[in-house]
């Protein structure tokens, strides 16, 4: 990969930065909402950027925008795609996208990348790994850094799903980082949970498989091509036997296993057929709507936790106290639990007085 650096006159650079700041300052939730309703992808990108911003002014606009979009959400199939690093999630989505487009779907891909410890930015940049799909009509791909969000899912991914739905996308794919048990967080924001696995991954991964496998609606062994095809089919049978031992799903759906080759574009239609069968079954038996209601209750608690944490960590006085107590803990003057307890009581007392 080559990077090109373009020199810009400092005066022109200042002018460009000022215009950019002015555009952000002048943006309104109403205008963004109207643009989203028209299917404006630039507006969708700007809206997600507002969601991910830590600026209080941006947060206010984002919250207002989500409220405006509320009557227009929920009309998509939300699919979570997870699996260990190297399983080929992005390659799978690139090939799977052709099948979805042939079914006249509008596809939004929210690709959650590992983030740099140094800059906090996305490391892999999934959009660059879906070069063909990203150029297709009726496709929107948004890579975001996972940050310190539990489950490898970016902090505002669920709200981003809502924005995509308000923009007219009827299929939203959430590709997660794929780093282990905490990946299950994605299960709380999607309708269908697709787990991609490799054949011959080894017993060392068993510790992270069980929890995810229990929630998978479909487990697919990838890279089933060439000499690996027989091994993939054998692995699929073994996983199918293992999954029969899990408790029945409340959805009434019996989890399935399959194999596919993104390279040879093989068996992808069957995977899409399984998703549509799941949709038909769970909409008929009421689970589709019930699951979304349960997810709403889950995110009520999660959002409340986020707001409480943000309230603490944006309070300058509390941050000063936190720094002081960190020094005391470091020097052995107090224990971590005692310090946390005292900080909590300071915080509660301060809020009462405010």
């Amino acid at each position: 990969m080559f990077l090109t650096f373009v020199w810009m006159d400092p005066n022109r650079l200042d002018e460009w930065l000022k215009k950019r700041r002015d555009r952000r300052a002048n943006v309104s939730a109403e205008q963004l909402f109207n643009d989203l309703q028209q299917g404006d992808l630039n507006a969708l990108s700007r809206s997600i950027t507002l969601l991910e911003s830590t600026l209080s002014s941006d947060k206010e606009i984002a919250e207002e925008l989500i409220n405006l979009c509320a009557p227009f959400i929920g009309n998509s199939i939300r699919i979570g795609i997870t699996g260990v690093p190297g399983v080929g999630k992005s390659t799978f989505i690139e090939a799977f996208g052709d099948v979805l487009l042939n079914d006249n779907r509008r596809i939004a891909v929210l690709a959650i990348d590992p983030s740099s410890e140094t800059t906090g930015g996305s490391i892999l940049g999934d959009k660059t790994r879906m070069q063909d799909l990203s150029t297709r009509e009726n496709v929107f791909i948004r890579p975001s850094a996972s940050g310190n969000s539990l489950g490898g899912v970016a902090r505002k991914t669920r709200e981003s799903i809502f924005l995509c739905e308000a923009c007219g996308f009827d299929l939203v794919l959430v590709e997660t980082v794929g780093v282990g048990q905490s990946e299950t967080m994605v299960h709380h924001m999607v309708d269908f949970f697709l787990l991609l696995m490799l054949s011959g991954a080894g017993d060392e991964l068993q510790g992270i498989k069980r929890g995810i496998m229990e929630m998978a609606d479909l487990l697919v062994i990838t890279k089933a091509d060439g000499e690996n095809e027989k091994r993939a089919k054998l692995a699929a049978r073994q996983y199918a036997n293992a999954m029969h031992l899990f408790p029945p799903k409340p959805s009434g759906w019996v989890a399935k296993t399959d194999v596919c080759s993104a390279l040879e574009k093989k068996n992808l239609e069957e995977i899409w057929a399984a998703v549509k069968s799941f949709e038909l079954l769970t909409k008929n038996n009421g689970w589709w709507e019930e699951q979304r209601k349960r997810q709403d209750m889950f995110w009520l608690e999660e959002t409340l936790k986020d707001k409480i944490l943000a309230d603490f960590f944006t309070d300058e006085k509390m941050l000063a106290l936190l720094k002081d107590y960190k020094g005391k803990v470091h020097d052995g003057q107090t224990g971590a639990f005692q310090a946390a307890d005292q900080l909590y009581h300071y915080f509660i007392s301060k809020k009462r007085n405010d």
Side-chain angles (χ1 to χ4, degrees):
M1 182 176 66
F2 296 93
L3 298 177
T4 302
F5 296 92
V6 179
W7 181 85
M8 181 181 292
D9 180 270
N11 293 329
R12 290 183 59 193
L13 177 60
D14 289 342
E15 182 181 349
W16 179 79
L17 290 172
K18 183 177 183 301
K19 287 181 178 179
R20 187 175 181 183
R21 286 193 297 268
D22 290 343
R23 282 198 301 270
R24 290 192 66 177
N26 293 330
V27 71
S28 70
E30 292 83 0
Q31 183 60 55
L32 285 173
F33 171 70
N34 291 332
D35 291 342
L36 287 176
Q37 290 283 278
Q38 299 300 316
D40 188 330
L41 299 189
N42 288 326
L44 180 54
S45 292
R46 294 199 305 273
S47 299
I48 294 177
T49 298
L50 284 172
L51 278 179
E52 296 175 343
S53 173
T54 57
L55 297 176
S56 58
S57 57
D58 288 347
K59 287 182 179 180
E60 291 176 6
I61 297 172
E63 288 182 6
E64 184 181 351
L65 178 59
I66 291 295
N67 290 333
L68 289 171
C69 291
F72 302 93
I73 64 175
N75 297 318
S76 77
I77 302 176
R78 306 165 184 170
I79 303 176
I81 299 178
T82 191
V84 295
V87 76
K89 294 185 290 294
S90 297
T91 305
F92 169 82
I93 292 172
E94 175 102 70
F96 192 46
D98 283 336
V99 175
L100 304 176
L101 290 172
N102 289 337
D103 200 24
N104 298 315
R105 297 286 180 165
R106 294 193 71 211
I107 313 163
V109 181
L110 302 176
I112 315 303
D113 271 348
S115 45
S116 165
E117 290 287 338
T118 304
T119 66
S122 175
I123 294 175
L124 300 180
D126 270 303
K127 192 168 184 177
T128 64
R129 294 186 290 155
M130 302 181 202
Q131 293 181 358
D132 179 59
L133 188 63
S134 64
T135 62
R136 304 285 293 277
E137 190 177 358
N138 294 323
V139 174
F140 172 79
I141 299 177
R142 172 75 180 210
S144 299
S146 61
N148 58 3
S149 176
L150 177 64
V153 179
R155 180 171 50 93
K156 295 297 183 180
T157 300
R158 188 168 186 260
E159 288 88 346
S160 297
I161 292 175
F162 296 163
L163 293 177
C164 291
E165 291 174 343
C167 197
F169 289 94
D170 58 1
L171 191 64
V172 181
L173 307 180
V174 182
E175 180 201 348
T176 67
V177 174
V179 291
Q181 188 90 11
S182 61
E183 284 294 293
T184 56
M185 180 66 79
V186 74
H187 189 255
H188 294 290
M189 63 176 73
V190 297
D191 305 307
F192 189 88
F193 192 67
L194 174 59
L195 174 61
L196 303 181
M197 298 291 288
L198 293 166
S199 61
D203 291 337
E204 68 276 6
L205 292 176
Q206 291 298 330
I208 69 170
K209 287 178 186 173
R210 174 68 189 251
I212 301 176
M213 283 176 60
E214 285 182 325
M215 291 186 293
D217 297 304
L218 178 62
L219 186 153
V220 176
I221 307 298
T222 62
K223 305 182 181 181
D225 42 56
E227 296 181 358
N228 196 48
E229 185 172 0
K230 289 184 179 179
R231 290 193 294 270
K233 289 181 178 180
L234 175 61
R237 289 195 294 270
Q238 292 173 338
Y239 279 121
N241 292 334
M243 291 174 75
H244 280 307
L245 302 175
F246 296 154
K249 291 180 176 294
S251 63
W253 172 260
V254 178
K256 304 178 185 302
T257 61
D258 210 333
V259 299
C260 81
S261 168
L263 182 65
E264 297 179 355
K265 300 185 184 301
K266 186 167 57 180
N267 226 38
L268 300 173
E269 291 84 357
E270 286 76 5
I271 294 173
W272 177 228
V275 175
K276 291 194 288 187
S277 295
F278 174 88
E279 179 189 18
L280 179 63
L281 172 71
T282 54
K283 282 187 174 179
N284 285 339
N285 67 19
W287 175 252
W288 185 276
E289 191 62 31
E290 174 62 24
Q291 177 175 239
R292 288 194 172 183
K293 289 178 180 177
R294 293 186 181 195
Q295 289 174 347
D296 285 341
M297 291 187 288
F298 173 84
W299 287 106
L300 165 63
E301 293 187 8
E302 290 300 307
T303 303
L304 183 59
K305 292 175 186 176
D306 285 345
K307 287 185 175 293
I308 292 171
L309 282 173
D311 199 14
F312 182 98
F313 285 101
T314 54
D315 187 312
E316 292 185 3
K317 290 184 178 179
M318 293 309 304
L319 288 178
L321 273 175
L322 176 61
K323 183 178 180 180
D324 182 48
Y325 271 90
K326 280 184 175 180
K328 291 180 179 179
V329 170
H330 179 271
D331 295 339
Q333 298 177 27
T334 185
F337 296 112
Q338 293 89 338
D341 188 58
Q342 292 180 34
L343 280 167
Y344 171 75
H345 284 94
Y346 276 131
F347 182 62
I348 295 299
S349 176
K350 183 176 183 298
K351 285 297 163 185
R352 287 172 179 166
N353 294 331
D354 289 347

